[in-house]
Amino acid sequence: MEDDYIQLQLPARQGVRGSGRGAIGPLPASHPVPLSRLIFRDLKLLITLSPEEEQTSQPGHVQQAQPNNGRMEVDLEGVSLQMDTFKPHGSPYAWRLAFSIHQLEVRDYVKKSGGKPARWRRMLGHHFMARTPRDPDAVMFQVELEAVRPDGAGQAEEEYRLSAALLPLRLRIDQNIVAFLQDFFSAPEADGGTKERLGGELTTPTASIHQPEGPGVFLQKVDIHSFSVVIDYQPRRLDAAALTAGSFVEVLNLVPWGGVQLDLPHVKATGLHGWPALGSAVANAYLQDIASSQVHKFVVGVAPVRSLCRVGWAAKQLLSIPADQLRNTTISSGSNSDVALTRQLRRGVTSLARAVTLEALGLGASVAGGADFVLRGGSGVGSEHPAGLKEGLKQAAQGLSSGLETAASALVYSPVRSVQEGHGLGQAVARAIRNAPGAIAAPAAAAAAATRVTFLGMRNALDPERYEERRR
């Protein structure tokens, strides 16, 4: 029992009310009539994160492609807030704050090559699942914070109770975005010192800044409901020195992984002193659960392993025909048993063939995308996933046309232009020879990209549910 702690009678349903129905509404039955109430309803906020200065490449430094181009947007819709205050005497409740967000999206700014217009790509948002659609009235995020008086008379310091709930999330992130967020939210330099990046982490030569100590925040009770998050991560570079030194973070940068669904558990805590203690308690609960029962999901998230697991699951379904069904078929020669067994086997074979086809198309698209990335010198052209085979063939034709135009420009148009400018035939031939490697790589890269979007179009046509989940 902590000092100045009193047990207050709690309502039958604690935490977030109405399964995430929003912040605005009646108070729980245990609360008195509020003295005042402040309400903000259905606000829309758009927050843009961008660096103060554009980074310029230094001489001799090869600048890597930045997917977010140093810009990020946080889009909040349906933001609602309700603040209730209570009488200073005669009630253990001091005030209560409820806050909810109906729709939340974080987007990064993707700059395309080839003169194509840039686009915004969703980085964080609700995880859409075709088989379990979202209730349109449910909010994505809701938190309730209330202050109570331990002595009931307002003489002691207020203590707090916190509850929060989230809908399933989908996070698509890469190494450059992580670096951008580290740079953006890092503490400013007090003496003009420069930041250094060692092993993927930001460090500063200045002394650490200690926050001033003040009255501690005491959290009587914390209740954070369970939720899931699906993570796709794309590494961009690998720090071999840090990996050799045993850095676990660099292990995650070895290969891209996606579709890693982490089921974060329900967290309950009492008697926490300060917000850092809350963060540590929640982080420890999540990390312990992941380390004990969900580490294997990161291995399954690697594309080849994920494909093998899906095919293996389909094969298991085929091979796990109930033994009693086989016995009944052997014992009884009735046509009904034969029809049932045949139907079950047909479904199993169809499911296995479908899984093998989908994963083969996915692996083929990944290999083609890797070839495109290598042929373009580490700057593969990203494109939207085609909805079907027709759209995939259209994108493939456009990519092939662009690659052939690039090759023709390097081998024909550029030397001809050199002759027209009066440089002579020898210099035109030399220019054509210099352009030959790039001219050869351009059609090959275009062919690889065309193969990728064709395979993706075929896969999305066969599995539209997975396409919808990825698109949203």
Side-chain angles (χ1 to χ4, degrees):
M1 184 71 70
E2 300 288 341
D3 294 339
D4 297 331
Y5 177 84
I6 62 170
Q7 179 67 38
L8 300 178
Q9 184 178 1
L10 296 175
R13 285 173 24 178
Q14 304 180 38
V16 178
R17 294 175 288 103
S19 300
R21 293 292 176 175
I24 300 175
L27 296 174
S30 61
H31 288 58
V33 177
L35 182 64
S36 64
R37 172 172 290 177
L38 175 66
I39 291 179
F40 293 98
R41 188 192 306 269
D42 292 334
L43 301 179
K44 179 178 175 60
L45 303 176
L46 182 63
I47 304 171
T48 301
L49 308 180
S50 59
E52 296 181 0
E53 298 179 355
E54 295 292 337
Q55 295 182 354
T56 58
S57 59
Q58 299 177 356
H61 175 69
V62 179
Q63 189 174 6
Q64 296 188 352
Q66 299 290 332
N68 62 337
N69 200 32
R71 294 176 61 188
M72 193 173 295
E73 279 187 353
V74 182
D75 190 358
L76 308 176
E77 294 184 1
V79 179
S80 299
L81 180 146
Q82 177 175 315
M83 177 75 176
D84 295 286
T85 60
F86 305 97
K87 295 180 180 179
H89 302 286
S91 170
Y93 297 98
W95 52 264
R96 177 180 177 276
L97 173 68
F99 175 79
S100 65
I101 301 173
H102 186 266
Q103 186 69 22
L104 179 149
E105 278 194 3
V106 180
R107 297 184 290 266
D108 66 312
Y109 188 73
V110 180
K111 186 176 181 181
K112 294 185 177 181
S113 61
K116 297 180 180 180
R119 64 182 177 91
W120 289 97
R121 177 181 61 185
R122 192 180 77 159
M123 187 182 77
L124 175 66
H126 174 251
H127 180 212
F128 171 82
M129 292 174 284
R131 297 184 180 181
T132 55
R134 172 185 174 183
D135 185 343
D137 295 329
V139 297
M140 277 194 63
F141 173 73
Q142 183 163 334
V143 61
E144 295 179 2
L145 178 65
E146 61 182 16
V148 297
R149 307 180 181 97
D151 58 359
Q155 299 297 326
E157 291 288 342
E158 294 177 351
E159 299 176 359
Y160 302 96
R161 293 178 172 182
L162 175 70
S163 62
L166 294 90
L167 287 182
L169 301 176
R170 183 67 182 258
L171 176 64
R172 299 181 178 93
I173 196 168
D174 63 25
Q175 196 171 357
N176 289 334
I177 294 176
V178 174
F180 168 77
L181 293 175
Q182 287 178 331
D183 290 335
F184 187 87
F185 290 106
S186 60
E189 307 302 327
D191 58 352
T194 57
K195 300 174 186 177
E196 300 175 358
R197 185 179 298 277
L198 296 176
E201 299 181 358
L202 288 177
T203 60
T204 60
T206 57
S208 59
I209 302 174
H210 297 278
Q211 298 294 335
E213 297 182 359
V217 174
F218 181 71
L219 296 165
Q220 281 189 1
K221 179 176 181 293
V222 175
D223 189 6
I224 301 178
H225 292 241
S226 60
F227 68 100
S228 64
V229 55
V230 178
I231 305 175
D232 300 320
Y233 179 74
Q234 179 69 41
R236 299 293 178 183
R237 54 194 169 275
L238 179 67
D239 189 340
L243 181 64
T244 305
S247 173
F248 175 74
V249 175
E250 290 302 325
V251 175
L252 300 179
N253 293 329
L254 284 173
V255 293
W257 36 271
V260 179
Q261 179 171 332
L262 300 178
D263 299 311
L264 302 180
H266 192 166
V267 177
K268 293 184 177 181
T270 57
L272 299 177
H273 290 273
W275 300 110
L278 170 62
S280 298
V282 173
N284 289 337
Y286 289 162
L287 290 176
Q288 288 178 7
D289 185 83
I290 292 171
S292 62
S293 61
Q294 302 188 68
V295 172
H296 66 282
K297 295 181 178 180
F298 291 94
V299 179
V300 177
V302 179
V305 179
R306 183 170 65 249
S307 299
L308 290 175
C309 290
R310 288 173 177 167
V311 173
W313 181 87
K316 177 186 176 184
Q317 295 297 106
L318 174 63
L319 298 175
S320 62
I321 299 175
D324 56 346
Q325 178 70 38
L326 293 175
R327 285 196 300 268
N328 293 337
T329 303
T330 304
I331 296 173
S332 174
S333 60
S335 59
N336 291 336
S337 298
D338 294 339
V339 170
L341 178 60
T342 303
R343 185 183 301 112
Q344 192 172 4
L345 288 173
R346 185 184 300 115
R347 289 176 180 174
V349 172
T350 302
S351 176
L352 177 59
R354 183 174 183 271
V356 171
T357 302
L358 290 175
E359 298 310 320
L361 291 172
L363 283 177
S366 299
V367 172
D372 177 32
F373 184 82
V374 172
L375 290 171
R376 296 181 190 273
S379 59
V381 178
S383 61
E384 295 286 349
H385 279 216
L389 179 58
K390 183 178 179 180
E391 186 175 339
L393 291 175
K394 181 180 178 181
Q395 291 185 13
Q398 293 174 348
L400 284 173
S401 176
S402 176
L404 293 176
E405 288 179 0
T406 302
S409 175
L411 291 178
V412 180
Y413 302 144
S414 180
V416 170
R417 191 182 310 113
S418 178
V419 173
Q420 292 175 348
E421 293 173 355
H423 292 294
L425 184 60
Q427 188 169 354
V429 173
R431 178 175 294 187
I433 294 174
R434 288 196 304 268
N435 295 340
I440 296 173
T451 304
R452 173 180 175 272
V453 294
T454 302
F455 283 169
L456 289 177
M458 294 173 64
R459 189 190 68 178
N460 294 336
L462 293 174
D463 193 358
E465 288 187 0
R466 190 190 299 182
Y467 168 72
E468 285 295 322
E469 291 183 5
R470 178 179 179 87
R471 186 176 66 88
R472 299 192 185 190

